[in-house]
Amino acid sequence: MAETDVRSNRFSRQIGYVHCFADKVKRFPGLARRETWKVGKDDPRRVVHAFKVGIALTIVSLLYLMEPLFKGIGQNAMWAVMTVVVVMEFTVGATLSKGLNRGLGTLLAASLAFLTEYIADAPGQIFRAVFIAVAVFIIGTMTSYVRFIPYIKKNYDYGVLIFLLTFNLITVSSYRIDDVWGIAQDRIFTIAIGCAICLVMSILVFPNWSGEDLHNNTVSRLEGLANSIQVCVREYFNDSEESACQDDSSEDPIYKGYKTVLDSKTTDDTLALQASWEPRYLRYCHRTPWHQYAKVGAALRYFSYTVVALHGCLQSEIQTPKSIRALYKDSCIRLGEEASKVLRELAKSIRNNRKFCPEILSNNLKEALQNLNSALKSQPQLILGSRNSRATNTPVQAVQHHDQKLEEDTRTSLPGIKNTGSSSRLGCRSREQSRELTKKVLRTQLSKVAIVNLEFSEALPFAAFTSLLVEMVAKLDRVMDEVEDLGRMAQFSEYEDDGNDHKIVVTCENQSGVASAGSE
Amino acid sequence: MAETDVRSNRFSRQIGYVHCFADKVKRFPGLARRETWKVGKDDPRRVVHAFKVGIALTIVSLLYLMEPLFKGIGQNAMWAVMTVVVVMEFTVGATLSKGLNRGLGTLLAASLAFLTEYIADAPGQIFRAVFIAVAVFIIGTMTSYVRFIPYIKKNYDYGVLIFLLTFNLITVSSYRIDDVWGIAQDRIFTIAIGCAICLVMSILVFPNWSGEDLHNNTVSRLEGLANSIQVCVREYFNDSEESACQDDSSEDPIYKGYKTVLDSKTTDDTLALQASWEPRYLRYCHRTPWHQYAKVGAALRYFSYTVVALHGCLQSEIQTPKSIRALYKDSCIRLGEEASKVLRELAKSIRNNRKFCPEILSNNLKEALQNLNSALKSQPQLILGSRNSRATNTPVQAVQHHDQKLEEDTRTSLPGIKNTGSSSRLGCRSREQSRELTKKVLRTQLSKVAIVNLEFSEALPFAAFTSLLVEMVAKLDRVMDEVEDLGRMAQFSEYEDDGNDHKIVVTCENQSGVASAGSE
């Protein structure tokens, strides 16, 4: 009886597996179609690139297929096909870097191989075999080791690989074939043909420039961060109900703004490296300092960590009551707006290749800071009791006023924990997080501590929020520096007041006098 | 006269260039030697890997060099050499992934190529040529497009590349050679030999496991963050003179602790992917959940952003006077120590493949939090005047006491800006930053604002520091969750009290009853 049970159990489980698998297979075509469609829709240049590869391959195949061409090149046309497959990359910089690496590696390896053959050209097959084996071992070991050196790994990894490959092919072949020189010549020649086809397709037909990608990425990251800050500060002071509807549609706009910045290091470094291979001086009259873009990216990443911390203030369970927050709403929002305006101004400056005027931006920031400062001074009992109790005239009244408001607040919502509106938004935004919230030990303990001591928990988060806001503005400085340096290095055109926001004409300090036409 | 000047100027500049270049050339050997030495010293496994590649290449060359072996394989031994050069990677996972991709790609391409040849096997050379060209174009375009699909790009990019390569080689060759089947067979066979040599060298001779790297990275990152927090909290409250000497020797220990975490995404993802190819079940009886390690890494990254913000509190110019900070020194340091203890406990748990007890850790954290809480309550005038003025007995005395201390402070150091000790440390730590500090417009303006209004600036940073500390403890939760999940998935052995710290025996909740022997 029990055995039958076990058997039927196992059987039903197997049936389950089969059903699950069949379901997966059934859903696969739809999923694959959607995914395939999305890849092209996200970036139509990908479709173009795919066609470019197809055309390049067809052209290189003609070398083999067409009688007159085949007579010239012969069997070695295969190397050209191989080169096209391996070298053709999405952007011009990547293709150039791979193509030149492949060419250089092959040339160097060929020279070294002939040197080896010249030395090994002694009587005695066994001596030659041993010599070749030893050479292969030594070069193989050394080359593999060299590939670990960061500078080589970064710039010439592929070249060293091809060097090793070619060296081995030629040296080992030379043992049995007499006309190695002919083989090597053919190989170099066909590789050159392959590289040439790749470069022509890559540079002349709808080129994708790594530098342009880097440029656009930097601009869009600056704008993303600006959005993040703006939304973040507004949401902190907003009645949360209206934003709950917004969030339903897509993911959190704050997170969306800074998430690409956080993990941008690898992308930035790769693009900057590829861009440095690109012959951009064909298009502008100066070398664009791509490494400076990477530096701007680093400053932005550093800046974005503060934005993450600021966002953390929104998400934390312990919140300062709305009534207290409302007191400083305007000045905080103003500071946030100014900070995002600065970021947008920097984005505009990079996009238009035009310098910006740091003085104007600093002045606006300074005003906003002073505004917040006076707001904090006029309602000082929140932040500082010790010194301002003397400065303000009626601290007692203010305290009483607050206490009333506080009591109202605590009556309507659970004290210390995010009030109802906020928590509904939270749930709406990230269910996973809210699930985590409910199940966990530590968090509840944290909240308990908070409930017991409303005094401790209630002003601290707001103080942190304000302080982070100020800290963020201080960090903006580094971003501004880097963008300013970029402007100087890339010889952006001089700052011009477009007259939208500021009616005052300001003469900037750093008029270097070089007014190149960096039109894009 | 002027012309001579210009000419001599140009000449001296050229001389300068030559000198500079000669200097670079002169220094190059020393630099290269140091760099080469450092690469091996940092990770001696690299030297071993280089020798492994050398040996593998020598072995595969013997296929060509030794008479009996050459008779069996012939000219195509070259493909084996090529495979070894391309497939041999540093870790087992990477080698396996590349080898299997290469094998699978070749097999699939060969099948498709034969199908194509079967269809193209019609009379008429021109028809066949056109057919082959069209097939190459279509497959080339489709394959290049497919490589953009994230899932394919992540897992099978190299396989798809090799598929395209092999397909083209076979299809195009088939136009002029009749025995394509023979060529394909040889190619598959030699590639299999190459892959086999790589795998044997990789798995059996001093193997480097990606999984082990990932495991160790995770442990060291946890410990690094623990150090960062500890040093950060201590330094915030310390008399800065003594730490100035420490910092002289190497780079900032706080930055060193968290910097590897910040940009760890790419490394983690790559290692997790490679590790998933590794046959670890040969060593343990269960599948290790490598993607969970990547999740722990993501939680750690998220956690580290708060640590960066905390570090920012140390570096910001506006500082709360030491006298005020001293009041909460002990409880803040205790909370920081507890947080780093939790991280170290998690590191130990992962290192020993043993579960940890979240209850003990949470309890300690809770106690430390409550301790800080009561400290803040007993000296409430700093953070909150409004409510605690009723709770404490002698607020006036406390205020007077503070004011005295404050005045002492402001007499000895510039108010609002970091006091002497801290600023000397700052200068010592990162000269670049301090240079930036002095030259910039915005920062001075910020400080001016701070000097004008000591009240605003002075308590806010400390409140932010405390709040970030609390926020950090709350975020620790997610890290603990992920490590707990990891423990469950990887079937860590049950928690055992080692009796060093806690004398109480605690029974953990999640006793799943599976006590596997995860010995490493």
Side-chain angles (χ1 to χ4, degrees), chain A residues 291-302:
Chain A
H291 64 276
Q292 185 61 27
Y293 275 96
K295 272 191 182 173
V296 172
L300 269 183
R301 262 197 307 284
Y302 188 64

Side-chain angles (χ1 to χ4, degrees), chain A residues 84-326:
Chain A
V84 170
V85 172
V86 177
V87 167
M88 190 86 183
E89 293 274 339
F90 185 60
T91 63
V92 176
T95 309
L96 261 174
S97 147
K98 268 204 151 174
L100 292 182
N101 262 309
R102 194 176 172 95
L104 268 177
T106 307
L107 276 179
L108 269 179
S111 337
L112 190 63
F114 282 113
L115 192 72
T116 315
E117 212 207 331
Y118 182 74
I119 298 172
D121 198 12
Q125 281 291 84
I126 294 175
F127 169 77
R128 277 189 65 200
V130 170
F131 186 86
I132 289 174
V134 169
V136 165
F137 175 74
I138 292 176
I139 296 289
T141 307
M142 274 170 56
T143 312
S144 306
Y145 187 74
V146 160
R147 283 177 76 193
F148 285 115
I149 297 175
Y151 178 75
I152 302 283
K153 190 166 192 67
K154 200 177 146 196
N155 293 283
Y156 304 108
D157 195 50
Y158 186 68
V160 174
L161 187 79
I162 292 298
F163 168 82
L164 183 58
L165 190 63
T166 311
F167 177 81
N168 282 349
L169 289 188
I170 296 181
T171 311
V172 175
S173 300
S174 74
Y175 184 67
R176 290 188 189 275
I177 302 169
D178 285 334
D179 186 25
V180 185
W181 178 234
I183 295 180
Q185 229 174 355
D186 280 353
R187 185 169 148 81
I188 292 172
F189 184 58
T190 45
I191 284 182
I193 291 178
C195 285
I197 291 176
C198 286
L199 290 184
V200 166
M201 287 306 290
S202 194
I203 298 181
L204 300 184
V205 186
F206 299 107
N208 302 317
W209 302 94
S210 292
E212 221 162 74
D213 280 8
L214 186 59
H215 181 96
N216 294 337
N217 278 355
T218 309
V219 171
S220 72
R221 272 174 205 155
L222 277 165
E223 281 169 349
L225 276 178
N227 279 340
S228 269
I229 295 168
Q230 201 173 26
V231 179
C232 189
V233 175
R234 275 194 193 158
E235 242 180 50
Y236 189 76
F237 292 101
N238 242 15
D239 297 326
S240 323
E241 281 76 9
E242 54 182 274
S243 63
C245 312
Q246 276 187 350
D247 289 346
D248 234 2
S249 60
S250 67
E251 62 178 323
D252 188 350
I254 305 174
Y255 177 67
K256 212 169 111 191
Y258 65 68
K259 78 168 175 194
T260 46
V261 184
L262 290 177
D263 296 318
S264 60
K265 185 178 163 56
T266 320
T267 326
D268 272 13
D269 287 356
T270 313
L271 282 179
L273 192 72
Q274 290 175 354
S276 67
W277 287 89
E278 286 175 357
R280 289 281 279 200
Y281 45 82
L282 289 178
R283 306 174 75 207
Y284 305 111
C285 18
H286 52 82
R287 267 183 82 81
T288 320
W290 298 117
H291 64 276
Q292 185 61 27
Y293 275 96
K295 272 191 182 173
V296 172
L300 269 183
R301 262 197 307 284
Y302 188 64
F303 177 77
S304 69
Y305 300 144
T306 317
V307 180
V308 177
L310 202 68
H311 191 199
C313 289
L314 251 80
Q315 294 176 320
S316 100
E317 277 98 275
I318 311 158
Q319 289 288 357
T320 308
K322 261 192 262 174
S323 54
I324 292 188
R325 280 188 263 167

Side-chain angles (χ1 to χ4, degrees), chain B residues 124-138:
Chain B
Q125 282 290 83
I126 293 174
F127 170 76
R128 276 189 65 198
V130 170
F131 187 86
I132 288 175
V134 170
V136 165
F137 175 74
I138 292 176

Side-chain angles (χ1 to χ4, degrees), chain A residues 231-442:
Chain A
V231 179
C232 189
V233 175
R234 275 194 193 158
E235 242 180 50
Y236 189 76
F237 292 101
N238 242 15
D239 297 326
S240 323
E241 281 76 9
E242 54 182 274
S243 63
C245 312
Q246 276 187 350
D247 289 346
D248 234 2
S249 60
S250 67
E251 62 178 323
D252 188 350
I254 305 174
Y255 177 67
K256 212 169 111 191
Y258 65 68
K259 78 168 175 194
T260 46
V261 184
L262 290 177
D263 296 318
S264 60
K265 185 178 163 56
T266 320
T267 326
D268 272 13
D269 287 356
T270 313
L271 282 179
L273 192 72
Q274 290 175 354
S276 67
W277 287 89
E278 286 175 357
R280 289 281 279 200
Y281 45 82
L282 289 178
R283 306 174 75 207
Y284 305 111
C285 18
H286 52 82
R287 267 183 82 81
T288 320
W290 298 117
H291 64 276
Q292 185 61 27
Y293 275 96
K295 272 191 182 173
V296 172
L300 269 183
R301 262 197 307 284
Y302 188 64
F303 177 77
S304 69
Y305 300 144
T306 317
V307 180
V308 177
L310 202 68
H311 191 199
C313 289
L314 251 80
Q315 294 176 320
S316 100
E317 277 98 275
I318 311 158
Q319 289 288 357
T320 308
K322 261 192 262 174
S323 54
I324 292 188
R325 280 188 263 167
L327 292 172
Y328 311 100
K329 183 178 169 179
D330 292 335
S331 26
C332 279
I333 286 185
R334 188 176 158 197
L335 188 58
E337 298 276 341
E338 283 301 335
S340 17
K341 217 168 87 184
V342 169
L343 286 173
R344 288 216 179 85
E345 202 63 38
L346 295 182
K348 211 170 88 185
S349 154
I350 295 181
R351 192 193 294 113
N352 302 332
N353 289 336
R354 210 167 59 186
K355 283 182 182 157
F356 65 96
C357 188
E359 278 73 24
I360 295 181
L361 302 182
S362 296
N363 280 340
N364 290 345
L365 274 180
K366 187 183 145 196
E367 266 174 39
L369 263 179
Q370 253 158 352
N371 187 304
L372 174 62
N373 199 13
S374 21
L376 286 166
K377 267 205 315 193
S378 67
Q379 308 278 358
Q381 64 286 351
L382 170 74
I383 306 293
L384 239 199
S386 62
R387 301 209 109 202
N388 291 312
S389 49
R390 286 174 298 173
T392 48
N393 293 326
T394 54
V396 184
Q397 284 171 16
V399 168
Q400 280 172 349
H401 180 68
H402 272 161
D403 281 355
Q404 269 181 358
K405 279 205 170 179
L406 278 179
E407 269 161 32
E408 276 167 34
D409 254 324
T410 44
R411 238 178 285 141
T412 51
S413 66
L414 217 72
I417 309 202
K418 252 192 174 182
N419 28 31
T420 343
S422 311
S423 69
S424 84
R425 192 195 56 208
L426 190 79
C428 167
R429 185 162 31 179
S430 54
R431 269 143 222 269
E432 198 190 24
Q433 272 186 347
S434 69
R435 236 188 302 126
E436 269 185 23
L437 292 185
T438 47
K439 76 172 180 190
K440 281 302 149 192
V441 190
L442 181 68

Side-chain angles (χ1 to χ4, degrees), chain B residues 17 50 89 125 138 150 184 397 402 459 504:
Chain B
Y17 281 139
E89 292 273 339
Q125 282 290 83
I138 292 176
Q397 285 171 15
H402 273 161
I504 322 145

Side-chain angles (χ1 to χ4, degrees), chain A residues 35-47, chain B residues 145:
Chain A
E35 192 67 23
T36 313
W37 181 251
K38 192 171 163 286
V39 163
K41 208 180 146 202
D42 283 354
D43 193 348
R45 295 180 302 167
R46 289 169 176 167
V47 183
Chain B
Y145 188 74

